[in-house]
Amino acid sequence: MESETTETIIRATGRSLCEYGYADLTMQRIAEASSVTTAAIHYHFDTKEELLDAFLDDLIDRFERQVDCEAADPRDRLAGFLDAVFDSEPDDEFPIALMELKAQAPFHNTYRERFRELDAALRGVVQDAVEAGIEAGHFDAVDTAEVARTVSTMINGSHVRMVALGEDPDETRRVVEDYLEAQLGWSPEGAA
Amino acid sequence: MESETTETIIRATGRSLCEYGYADLTMQRIAEASSVTTAAIHYHFDTKEELLDAFLDDLIDRFERQVDCEAADPRDRLAGFLDAVFDSEPDDEFPIALMELKAQAPFHNTYRERFRELDAALRGVVQDAVEAGIEAGHFDAVDTAEVARTVSTMINGSHVRMVALGEDPDETRRVVEDYLEAQLGWSPEGAA
């Protein structure tokens, strides 16, 4: 659906958000970060909110493709999911930019809707993998929706801890792995 | 240590942060929200960063007093802690303002240090209560540091979920309670 121009604009939005932060993000700066004129940006996106909404939509699409790895074995799917989620360094710019948008969500319903979509996607991947793992006899029987909800809350916590405390994502990953091991009787640590 | 004037300024900082957000918070606006002149504010605090640092310091003091309830029974202490932590409504302004400061932590080491202090305080309360509960024979034996770390990560997750998704804190509280019940063999639900 996206044209090459809108894709260029969306990429430049991400870079500019990381560089200037939410408050100082302007159409002018996005134009400077891309080969697209402000007039062309305005042609595709009426407002900064609309532009950031498209940015979040694109982000969620890519994230879903990344975390929903197609491994047949549910254990590999769960391990691949954790690899994708915890694949950042402390003080990476991207998680910081995302946290700023989360803080803006109460004032922009479009952002909130996107974050809800993202949360549902995350929980869906975990729940499906856990269900498949139980069916295949790899995991203990658990309330799969509850496990997915807890993992998603821990991942949200990890994101804040990385941004606010500068904590290494590997530390929180261990907390999630310990939880999964206690619940499922299986450890994603050292999984393929 | 705090004079009445600095306390007035700090309270006005909190109200202004909630009203205007971090980017639009100015000494002028804080002066308007209090009975103190901008000159007097500058006499006590050189920069906006210094002022927000004092605000966070004060917040942590009050939070520590609130969560560290003095109940003799560790079960009541843990239940009182959860009451204090989950005592807000979705779209409350204060958690939103706090989330904005967390997003600014990578750029202001003073904020980051305060958030680390707050995290250590949170974990300390949980760990002490769990240790006392194990000693008294109320809880199963667990790795108390690990439980404290997990609870703290979940609380961080709850804060983001409340702000970004508009989730009711009671929903995350239930996740934390289920986790504690599974770990400790004791449920804070319905505790005094």
Side-chain angles (χ1 to χ4, degrees):
Chain A
M1 275 288 289
E2 277 166 20
S3 73
E4 209 178 303
T5 310
T6 59
E7 207 178 302
T8 305
I9 297 169
I10 287 169
R11 295 279 176 279
T13 302
R15 290 196 305 275
S16 307
L17 183 63
C18 289
E19 187 169 350
Y20 301 107
Y22 183 81
D24 295 326
L25 183 71
T26 59
M27 295 287 202
Q28 180 59 40
R29 284 187 158 150
I30 295 165
E32 281 162 18
S34 67
S35 53
V36 182
T37 63
T38 50
I41 297 176
H42 278 289
Y43 174 81
H44 291 283
F45 303 100
D46 272 343
T47 60
K48 177 170 143 179
E49 185 178 36
E50 213 174 275
L51 184 50
L52 283 163
D53 184 39
F55 164 74
L56 282 174
D57 189 36
D58 175 71
L59 174 79
I60 291 166
D61 270 0
R62 283 183 296 131
F63 192 72
E64 283 181 14
R65 282 196 299 271
Q66 200 188 347
V67 297
D68 201 4
C69 82
E70 302 196 342
D73 190 317
R75 294 168 294 188
D76 296 337
R77 251 153 66 200
L78 209 49
F81 169 80
L82 295 177
D83 284 342
V85 163
F86 289 104
D87 176 30
S88 35
E89 298 295 320
D91 288 338
D92 259 5
E93 285 172 337
F94 188 70
I96 300 169
L98 204 60
M99 188 58 64
E100 276 208 285
L101 288 184
K102 286 186 175 178
Q104 295 297 324
F107 312 109
H108 300 274
N109 210 40
T110 47
Y111 305 169
R112 174 161 283 173
E113 284 308 316
R114 295 302 179 191
F115 285 121
R116 284 181 174 162
E117 261 177 63
L118 180 60
D119 185 59
L122 276 174
R123 281 187 285 129
V125 172
V126 175
Q127 186 164 359
D128 289 351
V130 173
E131 266 165 23
I134 294 169
E135 266 173 45
H138 302 308
F139 305 153
D140 298 345
V142 289
D143 180 337
T144 56
E146 181 64 24
V147 168
R149 220 185 164 306
T150 308
V151 167
S152 160
T153 301
M154 286 173 161
I155 289 169
N156 294 148
S158 173
H159 182 199
V160 189
R161 295 181 73 82
M162 184 168 47
V163 171
L165 311 178
E167 185 168 280
D168 194 312
D170 286 348
E171 280 196 53
T172 332
R173 180 178 177 146
R174 201 180 42 72
V175 174
V176 177
E177 286 178 345
D178 287 351
Y179 167 78
L180 284 174
E181 189 170 358
Q183 290 286 314
L184 308 179
W186 169 84
S187 167
E189 207 181 349
Chain B
M1 275 288 288
E2 277 166 20
S3 74
E4 208 179 304
T5 310
T6 59
E7 207 177 301
T8 304
I9 296 169
I10 287 170
R11 295 278 177 278
T13 301
R15 289 196 304 276
S16 306
L17 183 62
C18 288
E19 188 169 352
Y20 302 107
Y22 183 81
D24 295 327
L25 183 71
T26 60
M27 295 287 202
Q28 181 59 41
R29 285 187 157 150
I30 294 166
E32 281 163 16
S34 67
S35 52
V36 182
T37 63
T38 51
I41 298 176
H42 277 290
Y43 174 80
H44 290 284
F45 302 99
D46 272 344
T47 60
K48 177 170 143 179
E49 185 178 36
E50 216 175 272
L51 184 51
L52 283 164
D53 184 39
F55 163 74
L56 282 175
D57 189 36
D58 175 71
L59 173 78
I60 291 166
D61 270 1
R62 283 183 296 132
F63 191 72
E64 284 181 11
R65 282 196 298 272
Q66 200 188 348
V67 297
D68 202 3
C69 83
E70 301 196 344
D73 190 315
R75 293 168 295 189
D76 296 338
R77 251 152 68 201
L78 209 49
F81 169 81
L82 294 178
D83 284 343
V85 163
F86 289 104
D87 176 30
S88 35
E89 298 296 319
D91 288 336
D92 257 5
E93 283 173 339
F94 188 71
I96 299 168
L98 205 59
M99 188 58 61
E100 275 208 285
L101 289 183
K102 286 187 175 178
Q104 293 299 323
F107 312 109
H108 300 273
N109 210 41
T110 48
Y111 306 168
R112 175 162 283 174
E113 285 309 315
R114 295 301 179 193
F115 285 121
R116 284 182 174 160
E117 262 178 61
L118 179 60
D119 185 59
L122 276 175
R123 280 187 285 130
V125 172
V126 176
Q127 186 165 0
D128 289 351
V130 173
E131 265 165 23
I134 294 170
E135 267 174 43
H138 302 307
F139 304 153
D140 298 343
V142 288
D143 179 338
T144 56
E146 180 64 23
V147 168
R149 218 185 166 307
T150 306
V151 168
S152 159
T153 302
M154 285 172 161
I155 290 169
N156 295 147
S158 174
H159 181 199
V160 189
R161 295 180 73 81
M162 185 169 45
V163 172
L165 310 180
E167 185 169 279
D168 194 311
D170 287 348
E171 280 196 54
T172 332
R173 179 177 179 148
R174 199 180 43 72
V175 174
V176 176
E177 287 178 345
D178 287 350
Y179 168 78
L180 285 173
E181 189 171 0
Q183 290 286 314
L184 308 178
W186 169 83
S187 168
E189 207 181 349

